[in-house]
Amino acid sequence: MAKPNLLIVDEDTQSAQQLVSQFRAAGWTYRVEKNGLTALKLLETEHYDLVITDLVLSDIGGTELIDWCTRNRSNTPVIATTMRPEIELAVTAMKRGAVDLMIKPLSYKIIFELVEKYSKQWSSQQEKNKTVPFPSFSHNEEMSKLYRAVIDKIAQVPATVLILGETGTGKEVMANMIRHYSNRSNKPYIKVSCASLPESLLETELFGHEAGAFTGAIKQRKGRFELAHTGTIFLDEVGELPLSVQVKLLRVLQERSFERVGGEQTIKVDVRVIAASWRDLHEEVKAGRFREDLYYRLNVITIKLPPLRERVDDIEAIAKHFIERFRLQCGKAPITITAQALQALKQYRWNGNIRELENVIERAVVMASDDMITVDDLGDKLKPTSTTVESVGEMLSLKDARKHFEREFIQRVLQKCDGNVSQAAELLKIARKNLYEKIVQLEIDLSTLREDTVAA
């Protein structure tokens, strides 16, 4: 059985250290956090087999953390610990979903047995049904297939992966998922933002330098590839790399070796590479801004993430996930969202994708005056305009009004393109196949969409 990976949340540093000394001796992996909100953020993106949390935390209550795990990580058992053996606290913790409550000072023998018990249960469950420990909700059939392919196939092989998609579509979350389900999940994971590093520093950041290699290089420094040895490196926005650095990256992919800047010793590395880009790298190759040989080396397995506007059926689940996260950060009671506000979210275009939705929900949680998010809390850009309401009429249902608006909007775009579906799909930023499906669904007659026959 694989060794369990534990998250310990406790502001009592001494108590936590006594625990981890036991876990370290058993060869278990663990992380200790004092801050409840930091722990919550970790749970959103990383997987832990078991959580041990104190019920008294200064930022959020331990019961809030248990409640979140119960609703979002039902396969992750939580053990609660406390200095206050009050019956009300114990009942609350167990009602929220804690599997056990331990009174401090802890009996390490008992907690050791509990950890083994629940980690074995988790291991058995994982063999039967692998689950996705990430906020990757999807009611979209294609996305569901993609997630399953990532878990069952892509993560299991050491091949290089290239993740493409617009800004904010979740490329880093996908990279995290691949790494988690790989056999390198407990090995180093190094992330590099190629767009945020100046060109003059990129080479030394990636490959390191020797002492005296340049002015200011006082001592030897290992680069990101060297630090990622035996693990995974994530190159975000790889399309921003200058050609000079692309050459050296190509060599690493081909030979798994490099030299530090100013060095002569060849360093061998065993690293899995996951790269991501919002750019169309094939077009970048045509424009001479990206090396063709590097493109094919990166393009072993390609994952294309669709924009949020093509995943409208996922918006509600993603929005509710962010509502829960931000209301905990704000220390608010549970918050719901009105049907009208949800409809506004689904009708909005989301050029910034999931990241833009996240920002809108954060604002809405802050602005909500009670336990309900309304359209007014979403900001002016999501409020329906008076012209839109007038154009669809007051007697239409929300579903019919949306269909009416969508039909008129697509007709106008098609008219502008003189009935050219490919050109219209490009303007609408959706796949041509999807636009054809919309045309059939909305009963749009392409033969009438010519500028000389259709009024503006």
Side-chain angles (χ1 to χ4, degrees), residues 19-167:
L19 261 184
V20 302
S21 66
Q22 304 288 320
F23 299 152
R24 190 184 300 117
W28 296 348
T29 58
Y30 55 86
R31 177 155 182 166
V32 179
E33 282 297 336
K34 296 181 180 180
N35 186 288
L37 288 174
T38 303
L40 188 64
K41 198 169 184 65
L42 285 170
L43 285 163
E44 289 176 347
T45 57
E46 299 287 341
H47 174 75
Y48 295 93
D49 301 339
L50 187 137
V51 177
I52 302 172
T53 182
D54 193 353
L55 290 177
V56 180
L57 302 170
S58 59
D59 51 358
I60 63 172
T63 51
E64 294 278 15
L65 196 60
I66 295 168
D67 186 53
W68 187 92
C69 286
T70 301
R71 284 188 282 171
N72 298 280
R73 296 287 179 272
S74 58
N75 287 334
T76 303
V78 183
I79 296 174
T81 65
T82 183
M83 289 284 292
R84 303 183 330 202
E86 295 152 355
I87 189 65
E88 294 84 0
L89 196 62
V91 170
T92 300
M94 301 304 280
K95 278 186 175 180
R96 294 291 182 96
V99 295
D100 269 292
L101 177 67
M102 298 291 296
I103 306 301
K104 294 182 177 179
L106 300 173
S107 165
Y108 298 109
K109 180 182 178 182
I110 294 175
I111 206 163
F112 212 70
E113 291 171 354
L114 287 173
V115 170
E116 285 202 314
K117 171 186 173 183
Y118 291 114
S119 62
K120 283 177 182 177
Q121 287 181 1
W122 176 87
S123 180
S124 174
Q125 180 63 25
Q126 282 295 91
E127 290 301 314
K128 295 177 182 177
N129 179 31
K130 290 181 179 177
T131 56
V132 181
F134 296 90
S136 50
F137 320 102
S138 188
H139 300 286
N140 180 283
E141 185 179 355
E142 291 304 313
M143 282 302 296
S144 295
K145 288 180 181 177
L146 175 57
Y147 288 135
R148 185 51 56 192
V150 166
I151 296 167
D152 291 341
K153 298 177 182 178
I154 296 173
Q156 309 303 322
V157 297
T160 299
V161 179
L162 178 62
I163 306 171
L164 301 175
E166 294 179 11
T167 299

Side-chain angles (χ1 to χ4, degrees), residues 278-349:
W278 66 270
R279 295 185 183 275
D280 184 333
L281 294 186
H282 186 65
E283 291 300 318
E284 292 296 295
V285 169
K286 288 181 181 179
R289 292 187 292 266
F290 203 83
R291 292 181 62 98
E292 185 174 21
D293 45 8
L294 176 57
Y295 171 65
Y296 287 118
R297 280 286 176 181
L298 290 172
N299 195 27
V300 178
I301 298 175
T302 300
I303 295 174
K304 292 184 179 179
L305 295 180
L308 188 56
R309 58 184 167 275
E310 293 180 14
R311 296 173 54 191
V312 175
D313 42 1
D314 282 343
I315 287 176
E316 180 174 349
I318 296 172
K320 287 180 177 178
H321 163 75
F322 288 136
I323 289 170
E324 182 65 9
R325 181 211 287 180
F326 291 123
R327 74 97 181 167
L328 284 172
Q329 289 184 6
C330 295
K332 290 191 171 187
I335 296 175
T336 56
I337 183 169
T338 66
Q340 292 81 0
L342 273 176
Q343 193 62 32
L345 293 177
K346 291 177 180 179
Q347 289 182 328
Y348 186 65
R349 185 163 179 74

Side-chain angles (χ1 to χ4, degrees), residues 1 9 289 333 411:
M1 185 187 72
V9 190
R289 292 187 292 266
Q411 278 183 320

